[in-house]
C-alpha cells in the first residue's frame, strides 16, 4: 500500500482534531481533540520514518507519547479541579484571564 | 629657590582650609591664623624678590613644575608656576596689601561673630589670586580666575542676612560669568590655534597665527578682563559689590582682584601686539570706562560707591594704557601698583569713618570729621592727594605717564585718547575733592539728626531705634586699624617717586612686557602742565560747590546728568530692558516652542502608541478558543509562507 495514504489519513485526523478544539466547548472533548491532533502527528512521523527508511520519526513518536502522557495527567487534573470549583467543564466559562 | 613659589600659594590655602574646616574651636584665634598665613606668604614673597634682584635681568624667571595635571596625548595641562618680574610685582602687592588688610580686619570685624569665617574667605582669596598671577599656563590661570570670583562672591555676600548683600553677590557672580566665558573661549581658541595654552609657546609664537585668529583671541581676553575689572559694558556689578565689608572692598574691589583684567591683558601682550584692531577696542573700552566711572563717582552720596566709581575709572586708565601696547604696559602696571596703595588706603579710611559713625555711609550725614579722626583724616588726605595726582605723590607719576603714553599713540586716536584721559583727570580731582570736603570739612551734619524712623508706632521699637541710631559719636579707630592705614599712606606718598627714580620700575618690568617710547606730539612738560591745569580746575569747581556752600543733608534733585549718574548712568536700566526683558522674551518663546513642537512630537507618539495598545487589548479576551484560533491562523500563515517561498 502506498504510504502517502497514511499521510492523507494523518491530515484528516489532524483537521478533525483542530476543528474540535476550535468549536467544542466541553473541556473534556477539547482535550480529546488535542490528543487526536497529537496522534495524527505521530502517524505522520511514523509514516515518514517508513518512507525515508530510518528510525528518526519513530523515536520522535515515542517522545511525543511520553509528553502526551504527562500532559494528560496535568490537563485532566486541571479540568477536574476546574469542574469542582465551577461546576462546569465549559472552556468559555473559564475566561477570567483578560484585561 | 624655585621651591618657595608653591609656598606662596600654599600658606594662605592652608590658612583657608584650617579656618573653614576648623569649626568654632578656632573662633578665638582664627583671625590671627589668617593674618599669620597672609604675612607668611608676604615673607616668602620678599625672600623670592631678594633672590630675583640678585640675578641678571635676563635670568629673573623662575619656573616650578609641580605635577602634570591633565596628561592627555596632545592636551597637556601642567601645574607649573612662573615667577618673573610681572608676577613678582603682583605677588608683593597682593600679599603686602593683603596682609595689611588682614590686620585691619582684625579690628574692623571685631564684633562680628563670623569673623573666623571672614578670615578663611580672605585667605582663600589670597590663595586664588596668587595662583592667578603665578600660573604658567592659561588653564591654571583660569582656575585662579574662578577662585577669586568665588571668594569675591562669598565676601560680597558675607552679610548674607541683608537681602541687598545677597543680591549684590549674585549680581557680581553672574556678571563675572559672562567675562569668564570669554576667557574659556579664548583658551579654547588658543588650543585650537597653537595646540597648547602654556604661556611660553603661545606668547612666543603668537605672530605665527593669522591676525584674524589673534584678534578673536584678544577680544575674548578683553571680554574676560571687562568682567573681572568692571569695564564697560560689564561694569554694573562693582557699585553693588560695596555691600560687602569694607576691607573686602579695599582688598578685592580696589587693590587686587579687579586689576586681574589688566594683568591678563599685559601678560597676553604678545597676542595684543599682533592684533591692532583688538588693541584699539581695548583703548576705547578703557577710555569710555574711565569717563563713565568718573561721572558715576561724582554723583554718588554713598562714600563707598563714590570710591567704587573712582576704582572703575582708575582701572579704565590702566586698561587704556594696556591697550596702547608696549608704550603703555609698564605704566599700566605702575598705576596698578600705586592705585593698589592709595585706593586701598582710601577704602580703609572710609571703613574707619564708617566704624566711627555707626556704619553710616551717606556722606551728606558726615561733615567736619577731621577734628574727631585725625589719623584717618591725614591718611585719607594723603590718599586723596595721591589719587588726584598732586605733584610728587604716587598718582602724579603713574597717571601722568599714562596720559603721555595716550598722546604718544599718535594720530587722531592719540589726541582723542589723551583728551579723554585729561578730562578724566579733571573729573577725578572733582569727585575726590567732593568726597574729601563732604566727609572731613564743613559743618557737622550728623548732629541733631532726626531719627531714622520718627513715626515709629509703638514705644518699644522706638526705644530700640534710639539705642541703635542715636547721634553718632565719631571717634578714632583702634591702632590695629590705623597702622595699616598709615603704612598704605606711606606707600601712596612715596611709591610713585620711588618707582620713577631712574626709571627703575621701567627697567624692572621691561624684560617681560617690553617697552618702546612713542613719539608724542606734545612734550612731557606740556602734558604735565595740562594735567595740572585740569587738576586745578577740578579741585576749584568742587571747592566752589561743596567747600564754600553748605552741603544740604538731603540730596537736591540735580540735573538730568546727575540723576542719571546717581543711577549708575542707567546701566542697570539698560541691562534690565535689553538683557533681562530680552532674555525673558527669548525664554518664553523657547518655552512655547518646547511645549508645542518638542512636547507635541513626544506626546503625539505616546498618544498614538497608547491608542493602538487600547485597540490591541481587545484581543486579550480570556477565551481559550479564540487564542487557539489565532495560533492556528498564525501557524497556517507560516506554513503558507514557507510553501510560497519554496515555490518561488
Amino acid at each position: 500500500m502506498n504510504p502517502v495514504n497514511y499521510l492523507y489519513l494523518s491530515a484528516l485526523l489532524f483537521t478533525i482534531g483542530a476543528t474540535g478544539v476550535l468549536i467544542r466547548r466541553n473541556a473534556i472533548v477539547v482535550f480529546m481533540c488535542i490528543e487526536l491532533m497529537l496522534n495524527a502527528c505521530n502517524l505522520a512521523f511514523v509514516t515518514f520514518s517508513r518512507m525515508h527508511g530510518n528510525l528518526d520519526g519513530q523515536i520522535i513518536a515515542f517522545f511525543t507519547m511520553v509528553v502526551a502522557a504527562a500532559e494528560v495527567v496535568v490537563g485532566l487534573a486541571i479540568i477536574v479541579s476546574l469542574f469542582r470549583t465551577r461546576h462546569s467543564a465549559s472552556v468559555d466559562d473559564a475566561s477570567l484571564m483578560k484585561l | 629657590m624655585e621651591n618657595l613659589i608653591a609656598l606662596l600659594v600654599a600658606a594662605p590655602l592652608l590658612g583657608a582650609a584650617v579656618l573653614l574646616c576648623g569649626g568654632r574651636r578656632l573662633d578665638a584665634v582664627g583671625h590671627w591664623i589668617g593674618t599669620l598665613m597672609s604675612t607668611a606668604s608676604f615673607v616668602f614673597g620678599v625672600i623670592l624678590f631678594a633672590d630675583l634682584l640678585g640675578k641678571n635681568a635676563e635670568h629673573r624667571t623662575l619656573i616650578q613644575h609641580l605635577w602634570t595635571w591633565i596628561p592627555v596625548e596632545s592636551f597637556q595641562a601642567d601645574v607649573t608656576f612662573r615667577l618673573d618680574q610681572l608676577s613678582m610685582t603682583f605677588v608683593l602687592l597682593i600679599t603686602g596689601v593683603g596682609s595689611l588688610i588682614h590686620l585691619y580686619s582684625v579690628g574692623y570685624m571685631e564684633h562680628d561673630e563670623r569673623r573666623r569665617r571672614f578670615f578663611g574667605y580672605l585667605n582663600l582669596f589670597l590663595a586664588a589670586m596668587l595662583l592667578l598671577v603665578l600660573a604658567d599656563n592659561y588653564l591654571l590661570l583660569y582656575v585662579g580666575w574662578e577662585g577669586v570670583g568665588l571668594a569675591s562672591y562669598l565676601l560680597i555676600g558675607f552679610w548674607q542676612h541683608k537681602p541687598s548683600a545677597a543680591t549684590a553677590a549674585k549680581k557680581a557672580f553672574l556678571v563675572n560669568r559672562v567675562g569668564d566665558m570669554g576667557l574659556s573661549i579664548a583658551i579654547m581658541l588658543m588650543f585650537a590655534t597653537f595646540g597648547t595654552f602654556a604661556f611660553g609657546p603661545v606668547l612666543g609664537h603668537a605672530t605665527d597665527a593669522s591676525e584674524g585668529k589673534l584678534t578673536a583671541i584678544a577680544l575674548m581676553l578683553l571680554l574676560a578682563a571687562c568682567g573681572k575689572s568692571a569695564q564697560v559694558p560689564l561694569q554694573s556689578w562693582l557699585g553693588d559689590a560695596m555691600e560687602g565689608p569694607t576691607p573686602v572692598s579695599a582688598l578685592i574691589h580696589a587693590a587686587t582682584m579687579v586689576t586681574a583684567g589688566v594683568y591678563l591683558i599685559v601678560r597676553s601682550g604678545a597676542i595684543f601686539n599682533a592684533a591692532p584692531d583688538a588693541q584699539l577696542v581695548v583703548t576705547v573700552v578703557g577710555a569710555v570706562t574711565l569717563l563713565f566711572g568718573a561721572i558715576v563717582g561724582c554723583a554718588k552720596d554713598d562714600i563707598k560707591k563714590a570710591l567704587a566709581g573712582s576704582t572703575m575709572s582708575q582701572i579704565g586708565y590702566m586698561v587704556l594704557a594696556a591697550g596702547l601696547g608696549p608704550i603703555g604696559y609698564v605704566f599700566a602696571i605702575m598705576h596698578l601698583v600705586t592705585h593698589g596703595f592709595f585706593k586701598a588706603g582710601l577704602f580703609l579710611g572710609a571703613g574707619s569713618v564708617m566704624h566711627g559713625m555707626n556704619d553710616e555711609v551717606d556722606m551728606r550725614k558726615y561733615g567736619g570729621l577731621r577734628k574727631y579722626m585725625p589719623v584717618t583724616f591725614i591718611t585719607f588726605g594723603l590718599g586723596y592727594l595721591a589719587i588726584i595726582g598732586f605733584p610728587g605723590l604716587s598718582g602724579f607719576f603713574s597717571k601722568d605717564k599714562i596720559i603721555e603714553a595716550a598722546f604718544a599713540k599718535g594720530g587722531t586716536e592719540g589726541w582723542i585718547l589723551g583728551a579723554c584721559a585729561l578730562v578724566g583727570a579733571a573729573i577725578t580731582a572733582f569727585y575726590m575733592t567732593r568726597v574729601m570736603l563732604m566727609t572731613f570739612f564743613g559743618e557737622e551734619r550728623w548732629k541733631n539728626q532726626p531719627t531714622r524712623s520718627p513715626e515709629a508706632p509703638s514705644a518699644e521699637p522706638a526705644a530700640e531705634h534710639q539705642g541703635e541710631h542715636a547721634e553718632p559719636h565719631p571717634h578714632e579707630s583702634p591702632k590695629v586699624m590705623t597702622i595699616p592705614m598709615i603704612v598704605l599712606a606711606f606707600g601712596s606718598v612715596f611709591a610713585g617717586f620711588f618707582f620713577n627714580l631712574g626709571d627703575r620700575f621701567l627697567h624692572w618690568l621691561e624684560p617681560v612686557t617690553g617697552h618702546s617710547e612713542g613719539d608724542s606730539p606734545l612734550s612731557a612738560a606740556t602734558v604735565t602742565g595740562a594735567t595740572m591745569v585740569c587738576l586745578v580746575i577740578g579741585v576749584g569747581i568742587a571747592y566752589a560747590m561743596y567747600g564754600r556752600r553748605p552741603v544740604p543733608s538731603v540730596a537736591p534733585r540735580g540735573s538730568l546728568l546727575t540723576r542719571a549718574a546717581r543711577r549708575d548712568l542707567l546701566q542697570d536700566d539698560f541691562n534690565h530692558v535689553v538683557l533681562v526683558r530680552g532674555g525673558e522674551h527669548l525664554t518664553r518663546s523657547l518655552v512655547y516652542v518646547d511645549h508645542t513642537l518638542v512636547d507635541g512630537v513626544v506626546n503625539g507618539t505616546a498618544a498614538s502608541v497608547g491608542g493602538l495598545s487600547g485597540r490591541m487589548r481587545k484581543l486579550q479576551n480570556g477565551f481559550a478558543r479564540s487564542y487557539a484560533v489565532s495560533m492556528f491562523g498564525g501557524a497556517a500563515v507560516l506554513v503558507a509562507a514557507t510553501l510560497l517561498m519554496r515555490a518561488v
Side-chain angles (χ1 to χ4, degrees):
Chain A
M1 193 171 167
N2 188 1
V4 175
N5 290 336
Y6 290 103
L7 288 183
Y8 290 142
L9 177 61
S10 162
L12 186 66
L13 287 175
F14 189 88
T15 311
I16 293 169
T19 317
V21 168
L22 292 184
I23 63 174
R24 295 304 296 263
R25 293 207 185 101
N26 190 327
I28 302 284
V29 177
V30 169
F31 203 62
M32 291 197 312
C33 289
I34 291 173
E35 293 300 317
L36 197 59
M37 284 157 72
L38 281 171
N39 284 309
C41 292
N42 277 349
L43 184 57
F45 275 129
V46 173
T47 311
F48 284 128
S49 176
R50 171 88 185 176
M51 281 165 74
H52 295 292
N54 62 18
L55 287 178
D56 294 0
Q58 297 191 30
I59 292 169
I60 291 185
F62 278 114
F63 274 110
T64 314
M65 275 184 239
V66 172
V67 174
E71 183 239 321
V72 165
V73 173
V74 177
L76 274 178
I78 291 173
I79 291 169
V80 168
S81 65
L82 202 64
F83 184 77
R84 278 195 186 152
T85 51
R86 309 185 76 95
H87 300 289
S88 138
S90 165
V91 284
D92 283 3
D93 282 352
S95 64
L96 293 177
M97 295 281 277
K98 63 183 172 190
L99 284 167
Chain B
M1 255 317 148
E2 285 86 355
N3 299 337
L4 270 182
I5 302 176
L7 288 179
L8 284 172
V9 182
L13 196 62
L14 176 73
V18 167
L19 289 174
L20 294 177
C21 304
R24 294 218 182 94
R25 272 160 293 170
L26 292 175
D27 271 354
V29 290
H31 45 285
W32 292 118
I33 296 180
T35 314
L36 181 75
M37 288 303 172
S38 162
T39 318
S41 193
F42 178 62
V43 170
F44 294 138
V46 170
I47 296 173
L48 283 164
F49 180 56
D51 182 55
L52 283 196
L53 279 183
K55 300 186 180 197
N56 284 331
E58 300 81 51
H59 298 104
R60 281 178 179 162
T61 302
L62 300 181
I63 303 277
Q64 182 185 12
H65 177 76
L66 284 185
W67 68 84
T68 303
W69 176 21
I70 307 174
V72 180
E73 199 176 355
S74 64
F75 184 97
Q76 293 288 339
D78 293 338
V79 177
T80 306
F81 293 141
R82 163 193 284 257
L83 188 75
D84 54 15
Q85 290 92 326
L86 182 59
S87 19
M88 193 68 240
T89 312
F90 270 87
V91 165
L92 289 180
L93 176 74
I94 295 162
T95 54
V97 175
S99 302
L100 289 173
I101 289 174
H102 272 74
L103 187 65
Y104 176 91
S105 309
V106 171
Y108 189 83
M109 301 297 283
E110 193 176 0
H111 303 297
D112 198 300
E113 51 190 33
R114 291 160 73 233
R115 179 162 66 163
R116 169 183 56 80
R117 188 187 297 250
F118 180 79
F119 277 84
Y121 291 159
L122 276 189
N123 271 0
L124 179 67
F125 167 76
L126 280 190
M129 188 73 202
L130 289 168
L131 185 64
L132 197 167
V133 298
L134 286 171
D136 188 38
N137 60 56
Y138 281 97
L139 201 65
L140 195 60
L141 181 145
Y142 190 67
V143 175
W145 190 269
E146 292 295 301
V148 292
L150 167 70
S152 162
Y153 165 78
L154 290 170
L155 286 166
I156 295 171
F158 186 71
W159 288 321
Q160 64 217 169
H161 52 86
K162 285 197 294 184
S164 57
T167 319
K170 273 188 277 184
K171 184 173 176 183
F173 197 79
L174 286 177
V175 177
N176 265 297
R177 296 304 314 163
V178 180
D180 297 349
M181 207 132 71
L183 184 53
S184 63
I185 294 173
I187 294 175
M188 291 179 218
L189 284 174
M190 266 175 216
F191 186 73
T193 315
F194 302 103
T196 173
F197 33 67
F199 285 159
V202 170
L203 301 175
H205 303 107
T207 40
D208 295 354
S210 70
E211 196 184 317
K213 276 182 183 166
L214 288 173
T215 307
I217 295 176
L219 286 177
M220 284 298 125
L221 289 173
L222 174 65
L223 181 68
C226 283
K228 205 51 104 196
S229 297
Q231 301 294 295
V232 173
L234 296 178
Q235 81 290 18
S236 64
W237 63 274
L238 188 62
D240 295 87
M242 296 300 126
E243 286 294 338
T246 312
V248 173
S249 312
L251 176 61
I252 300 186
H253 305 123
T256 54
M257 185 194 85
V258 284
T259 56
V262 182
Y263 170 78
L264 186 68
I265 296 177
V266 173
R267 175 59 86 190
S268 317
I271 296 176
F272 282 91
N273 290 344
D277 295 341
Q279 275 187 320
L280 183 64
V281 181
V282 175
T283 52
V284 170
V285 166
V288 169
T289 311
L290 85 86
L291 292 176
F292 189 105
I295 292 170
V296 169
C298 291
K300 291 284 182 185
D301 287 333
D302 178 328
I303 185 169
K304 286 179 73 183
K305 291 201 170 161
L307 290 178
S310 154
T311 303
M312 204 187 280
S313 161
Q314 299 301 316
I315 298 173
Y317 273 106
M318 299 169 207
V319 170
L320 168 62
L324 295 172
I327 322 173
Y329 290 139
V330 173
F331 303 129
I333 299 298
M334 186 154 98
H335 193 54
L336 193 156
V337 175
T338 57
H339 174 256
F341 282 117
F342 57 68
K343 186 53 67 62
L346 286 171
F347 264 110
L348 294 190
S352 171
V353 170
M354 285 160 59
H355 196 70
M357 295 290 287
N358 293 348
D359 288 328
E360 176 62 66
V361 290
D362 188 352
M363 290 191 290
R364 292 187 183 276
K365 302 206 171 90
Y366 292 169
L369 293 175
R370 66 183 184 283
K371 276 180 282 183
Y372 302 91
M373 308 178 176
V375 179
T376 308
F377 168 62
I378 292 169
T379 52
F380 196 94
L382 290 173
Y384 154 74
L385 291 177
I387 192 174
I388 64 173
F390 192 79
L393 276 71
S394 305
F396 168 74
F397 292 105
S398 51
K399 198 187 288 178
D400 208 43
K401 290 282 184 196
I402 293 182
I403 298 176
E404 272 174 40
F407 279 115
K409 184 173 169 64
T412 328
E413 293 152 41
W415 283 102
I416 295 174
L417 295 173
C420 285
L422 272 180
V423 173
I427 308 180
T428 306
F430 172 79
Y431 66 72
M432 283 314 298
T433 310
R434 174 175 175 270
V435 168
M436 196 69 194
L437 290 174
M438 284 174 85
T439 307
F440 292 104
F441 292 89
E443 53 188 296
E444 300 168 353
R445 292 181 299 277
W446 37 272
K447 279 188 175 165
N448 306 321
Q449 268 182 43
T451 49
R452 278 195 203 167
S453 51
E455 68 280 4
S458 70
E460 198 192 347
E464 229 176 64
H465 279 289
Q466 286 287 321
E468 234 178 81
H469 300 301
E471 195 173 283
H473 300 284
H475 54 84
E476 188 54 83
S477 302
K479 281 229 164 48
V480 74
M481 288 169 68
T482 51
I483 288 172
M485 286 154 57
I486 294 169
V487 175
L488 286 172
F490 264 97
S492 318
V493 175
F494 297 113
F497 179 68
F498 177 77
F499 288 158
N500 233 31
L501 201 64
D503 283 338
R504 62 174 83 172
F505 197 76
L506 182 64
H507 294 312
W508 163 252
L509 268 188
E510 199 180 351
V512 184
T513 59
H515 183 69
S516 68
E517 297 286 342
D519 43 340
S520 176
L522 301 171
S523 71
T526 320
V527 174
T528 311
T531 317
M532 285 305 114
V533 171
C534 288
L535 169 66
V536 171
I537 293 174
V539 173
I541 296 176
Y543 182 71
M545 283 177 71
Y546 297 96
R548 302 182 52 169
R549 280 185 262 158
V551 180
S553 51
V554 177
R557 194 152 173 273
S559 67
L560 203 62
L561 181 64
T562 314
R563 272 178 283 152
R566 271 191 204 130
R567 304 189 55 154
D568 303 313
L569 289 180
L570 305 180
Q571 61 190 18
D572 285 336
D573 306 79
F574 175 82
N575 286 352
H576 187 76
V577 171
V578 176
L579 300 176
V580 177
R581 290 268 174 76
E584 276 175 358
H585 284 300
L586 182 68
T587 49
R588 273 198 207 126
S589 43
L590 285 179
V591 165
Y592 178 75
V593 169
D594 186 52
H595 272 303
T596 49
L597 195 70
V598 180
D599 284 8
V601 170
V602 173
N603 291 343
T605 313
S608 49
V609 170
L612 201 63
S613 319
R615 303 246 158 73
M616 304 266 281
R617 195 173 73 165
K618 303 240 162 74
L619 294 176
Q620 195 92 4
N621 53 13
F623 292 111
R625 292 186 305 138
S626 81
Y627 300 159
V629 170
S630 21
M631 269 173 70
F632 278 117
V637 168
L638 282 181
V639 169
T642 317
L643 290 179
L644 264 177
M645 293 305 286
R646 282 267 177 89
V648 175

